[in-house]
Amino acid sequence: MIPANVQQPPISVRPPHPVRTESYRSRAWWLNSLLVVLLLAVMVWSVGIGAVSIPVPDVLAILFGQLGWETGVVEPQQETVLTIIRLPRVLLGVLVGAVLGISGAAIQGLFRNPLADPGLIGISSGASVVAVLMIVLQLKVFQELSSLSGLYALSLAAFAGAVGTTLLVYSLARRHGQTVVSTMLLVGIAINVLCEALRGLMMYLADEAQLRAISYWSLGSLGGASWDVLQVATPFLLVPILLMPRLSKSMNAFALGESQAGHLGVDVSALKRNVIILATMGVGVAVAVSGVIGFIGLVIPHLIRLIAGANHRTVLPASALLGAIVLTLSDLVARTIVAPAELPLGIITGMIGAPTFLFLLLRRVR
């Protein structure tokens, strides 16, 4: 018992670690700022490298000239190569890498599992199997789609496959009006196996030309980038990149558990639905325009958490930035290392991602 005449100290209402909070915010700000600067540098460097070499000063002169600023004289060939071929390819790579990185971070937060990635719920496998079906079977519905949409037919079919597969996984995982995350994980694994079996069957039935198209598309490439493709894909890629960081506060609460997040005022069902919709939109369009590109959505969030911790306010935007950097550099290697030929982009990301992922796993085990 404390004597009544002894005055007790007032209870402090300040945060227990204000210095630590300020330090974390400062570190997150510096990390994102560094990644933005690094991304801009990688973009400028990447558009200047290729069969036609363009020095950095000329790259800047061409880019500023496109904005209407007075710049020095540059060669017409360099300007044509940069503006027509390389710039849309680099911009598409930035958007695809960003959406894969941020979607991977969001899916890992949703499943509370660092081994999860967007392909786990069938987005990539659904897109690939429908594209393979279209290449091999040439059914009437696919022919009508090709006549209506021309060069975009395969991309539209792949996007439809991604959306359809994800909706199937999402609907099968619902119980009594609630989406069960563990069930979604198991259903996603089963659907992925089924899609891989169908794709294997189609490859068995395909001829040599079809096999070449399937292999190149399945391993990913930004070779089809153009201003027309970029104009169509950009809105669908930007929406997840811009909206997912707004879910970071709810995802931080969700990391404590579904019931705890509900007690903290988080609409858990809406959070699951929003993450699935945004990830499906972004990754579905990314696969539709560039094929299947592995490891970006799996490894990039790991690296960000290793550097900056698990706060989604930092993890989501930083994953988008680092994903854009890694994919832009990977595409640069893919189109220059065996020039004038071009390696599939998925080979480069796999060769980078797999050893990195193994290193992170072994580091955690030890």
Side-chain angles (χ1 to χ4, degrees):
M1 295 291 294
I2 299 177
N5 58 351
V6 176
Q7 185 176 2
Q8 300 183 42
I11 298 176
S12 174
V13 296
R14 294 180 300 174
H17 299 291
V19 176
R20 186 181 302 174
T21 302
E22 292 298 326
S23 175
Y24 178 83
R25 291 177 179 175
S26 176
R27 186 169 69 249
W29 186 88
W30 279 109
L31 174 63
N32 287 327
S33 300
L34 176 62
L35 290 175
V36 169
V37 173
L38 184 58
L39 176 59
L40 293 175
V42 167
M43 291 173 64
V44 171
W45 183 48
S46 181
V47 295
I49 296 180
V52 177
S53 180
I54 308 175
V56 172
D58 292 341
V59 170
L60 296 177
I62 295 171
L63 294 177
F64 289 146
Q66 294 296 314
L67 298 175
W69 297 3
E70 292 294 334
T71 58
V73 178
V74 295
E75 295 183 10
Q77 183 188 23
Q78 292 181 335
E79 184 173 2
T80 301
V81 168
L82 190 147
T83 57
I84 303 301
I85 300 176
R86 293 186 191 163
L87 187 56
R89 179 166 181 155
V90 169
L91 291 176
L92 184 63
V94 167
L95 291 173
V96 170
V99 83
L100 291 177
I102 198 171
S103 297
I107 292 295
Q108 289 178 7
L110 178 65
F111 285 100
R112 301 197 297 276
N113 187 342
L115 299 180
D117 75 331
L120 197 62
I121 56 175
I123 303 176
S124 301
S125 58
S128 63
V129 75
V130 172
V132 170
L133 287 171
M134 184 173 181
I135 292 172
V136 176
L137 295 184
Q138 296 295 321
L139 297 178
K140 184 177 180 180
V141 63
F142 293 145
Q143 293 175 0
E144 292 178 354
L145 179 62
S146 298
S147 64
L148 290 175
S149 53
L151 296 176
Y152 299 108
L154 188 61
S155 297
L156 290 175
F159 179 69
V163 173
T165 306
T166 307
L167 287 176
L168 177 62
V169 172
Y170 185 77
S171 61
L172 292 177
R174 291 185 65 81
R175 292 291 183 273
H176 308 294
Q178 299 292 326
T179 304
V180 183
V181 174
S182 58
T183 304
M184 189 188 305
L185 175 64
L186 297 175
V187 172
I189 293 173
I191 295 297
N192 277 327
V193 173
L194 178 60
C195 289
E196 288 299 318
L198 288 174
R199 190 170 69 169
L201 176 61
M202 291 301 103
M203 293 180 70
Y204 176 77
L205 298 175
D207 57 30
E208 185 177 350
Q210 292 170 341
L211 277 175
R212 191 179 300 110
I214 292 171
S215 299
Y216 195 78
W217 190 90
S218 298
L219 290 173
S221 173
L222 296 176
S226 66
W227 288 113
D228 291 336
V229 171
L230 197 62
Q231 184 177 5
V232 173
T234 295
F236 298 98
L237 296 173
L238 279 180
V239 167
I241 295 172
L242 297 177
L243 293 186
M244 275 188 181
R246 298 174 64 89
L247 304 175
S248 58
K249 184 177 180 180
S250 298
M251 295 190 70
N252 284 338
F254 189 79
L256 303 174
E258 293 191 32
S259 59
Q260 290 85 346
H263 293 320
L264 292 173
V266 176
D267 189 340
V268 175
S269 297
L271 176 63
K272 296 176 185 177
R273 183 175 62 251
N274 292 337
V275 170
I276 294 299
I277 290 174
L278 292 175
T280 301
M281 178 189 297
V283 177
V285 173
V287 173
V289 298
S290 63
V292 179
I293 300 174
F295 282 102
I296 297 295
L298 179 63
V299 174
I300 295 301
H302 267 287
L303 294 175
I304 295 300
R305 290 190 182 94
L306 185 64
I307 297 171
N311 191 329
H312 285 89
R313 292 183 177 181
T314 302
V315 171
L316 291 175
S319 295
L321 292 170
L322 186 57
I325 293 169
V326 171
L327 192 62
T328 302
L329 290 175
S330 299
D331 181 59
L332 174 62
V333 174
R335 63 182 172 84
T336 58
I337 192 171
V338 292
E342 179 178 325
L343 279 179
L345 186 53
I347 294 177
I348 304 300
T349 58
M351 293 179 67
I352 296 173
T356 305
F357 187 62
L358 288 174
F359 168 76
L360 293 174
L361 286 179
L362 294 175
R363 185 178 183 275
R364 176 168 293 186
V365 170
R366 293 176 182 175

